[in-house]
Amino acid sequence: MITCSAPGKIYLFGEHAVVYGEPAIACAINLRACVSVEVASSGKITIDAMDKRANCSSEEFKYACCAAQIIKKLFETDFGAEITIRSELPPRQGLGSSAAVTVSTIKALTQSLGIELDNETVAKIGHKVENEVQGKASPADTFVSSTGGVVLVEETKTSHLAQLDMPIIIGATGVERATRDVIASVSDLRKKYPSVVSDVMSSMGDITRFGEQKLAEGDLVSVGELMNINQGLLESLGVSDVTLSRLIYAARTAGALGAKITGAGRGGCVLAITTNGKVDHVTQAIAKQGALALTTAISSLGLHVEA
Ligand code: MEV
């Protein structure tokens, strides 16, 4: 049996805009998904995740199943497999749980078949899987999950920025949503108001470029301000909602330097950054609103084979 694990992620800037070719900055976090694979020469693909067992006709485990189908096609091979998923990442909450499961599944399956792939190649195959399942996806989630660290995602390349040491507080609403549906609603809005939505996307791109500069200068006050402006633009795309806004304002009132949604939105999670002295205040303010508050940090550890 081969077991691989990969981190979840948060977006400091640029989710949704990145789907339309604008840059984004995403960071791996120290919450991980873990996938074990036992390959057989024939038979079905069976998934066991969090006390549920299913085969590939189940909607629920479509990322792992699609990953297995794409590996079969790419390497012209057939196999059966028992795939076991364990995760610290709440699913469908915008923390990159599906990307972490996807890249861990690809790595564990290919290793089991004796195929050596580097993490960037796994990320590219993972991007194909996400495109297939979600309809449209940026390369950000699978790249960050595969390589770890702080990543600038641009239209034609992805690069690592300097590692950041700052407390990150996540507020998970527990409201699950399908990334595919939120992406489709933004696409509909863009079709209806092309020039308006293009301007919003390009402003988000500008925020990411400013953000990159402010991160390099270690100016977290400006990073927080830019996150707040980014949130205003996400709001304009209709991907925030009243529950998320309550968490965001509670975090800001408790002393967060910046707070915004992370990931697709419409449920899922908010993200706040703050100074070390205010972590407890911000965490408690988020928890008081009924969300699961998680204090986490940026992780430089990407996809890897567990010993
Ligand atoms: C989802 O985690 C982030 C989106 O930008 C979609 C993507 O980048 O594929 C909404």
Side-chain angles (χ1 to χ4, degrees):
M1 184 189 303
I2 304 266
T3 300
C4 293
S5 79
K9 62 97 201 33
I10 49 104
Y11 274 95
L12 281 179
F13 311 109
E15 56 271 87
H16 286 291
V18 71
V19 176
Y20 296 96
E22 295 293 339
I25 295 178
C27 314
I29 52 174
N30 58 12
L31 297 169
R32 302 179 73 84
C34 194
V35 176
S36 301
V37 164
E38 188 78 63
V39 163
S41 54
S42 62
K44 286 188 182 152
I45 306 283
T46 319
I47 316 266
D48 178 320
M50 312 297 185
D51 303 327
K52 283 186 199 157
R53 276 181 77 77
N55 60 30
C56 273
S57 58
S58 161
E59 264 288 285
E60 213 174 342
F61 306 124
K62 47 191 185 289
Y63 288 90
C65 286
C66 182
Q69 302 312 337
I70 285 188
I71 294 297
K72 285 185 183 187
K73 225 189 261 168
L74 269 180
F75 297 98
E76 295 177 352
T77 175
D78 197 16
F79 53 83
E82 177 86 36
I83 300 174
T84 307
I85 303 168
R86 298 284 174 267
S87 182
E88 298 167 342
L89 293 156
R92 293 178 285 280
Q93 295 280 299
L95 294 180
S97 137
S98 45
V101 166
T102 300
V103 298
S104 299
T105 305
I106 294 169
K107 185 84 175 179
L109 276 173
T110 48
Q111 286 271 316
S112 306
L113 296 165
I115 302 164
E116 271 305 324
L117 297 178
D118 61 40
N119 283 0
E120 295 203 13
T121 307
V122 173
K124 283 187 188 139
I125 300 172
H127 183 211
K128 274 186 212 283
V129 172
E130 290 218 317
N131 262 326
E132 201 149 301
V133 178
Q134 286 170 208
K136 197 163 172 46
S138 76
D141 289 25
T142 52
F143 186 86
V144 175
S145 193
S146 296
T147 64
V150 184
V151 176
L152 172 68
V153 184
E154 296 173 281
E155 193 162 18
T156 51
K157 65 176 180 2
T158 19
S159 42
H160 280 99
L161 303 180
Q163 183 67 11
L164 281 171
D165 184 19
M166 65 181 180
I168 289 179
I169 301 132
I170 290 167
T173 61
V175 178
E176 295 187 3
R177 50 98 198 103
T179 302
R180 181 188 191 104
D181 298 342
V182 191
I183 290 178
S185 80
V186 172
S187 164
D188 288 346
L189 201 68
R190 189 165 169 268
K191 278 182 202 138
K192 201 165 174 190
Y193 308 109
S195 58
V196 177
V197 174
S198 287
D199 283 353
V200 171
M201 298 299 186
S202 104
S203 294
M204 287 195 199
D206 289 343
I207 288 173
T208 297
R209 289 181 199 97
F210 273 120
E212 181 191 1
Q213 202 178 307
K214 296 299 169 193
L215 285 168
E217 291 165 7
D219 178 355
L220 294 187
V221 171
S222 300
V223 170
E225 278 170 0
L226 289 164
M227 285 170 62
N228 293 342
I229 303 172
N230 196 155
Q231 171 60 20
L233 295 173
L234 288 164
E235 182 92 43
S236 77
L237 296 177
V239 300
S240 197
D241 63 26
V242 65
T243 309
L244 294 163
S245 287
R246 272 199 200 111
L247 296 178
I248 286 164
Y249 279 98
R252 288 180 191 164
T253 309
L257 297 172
K260 62 184 273 294
I261 64 168
T262 177
R266 292 254 186 86
C269 291
V270 302
L271 146 81
I273 63 162
T274 188
T275 50
N276 283 319
K278 297 257 171 79
V279 173
D280 288 348
H281 272 88
V282 175
T283 309
Q284 281 159 19
I286 288 177
K288 232 181 181 171
Q289 296 295 320
L292 171 69
L294 303 163
T295 307
T296 183
I298 294 168
S299 167
S300 56
L301 183 63
L303 170 64
H304 78 112
V305 182
E306 299 278 323

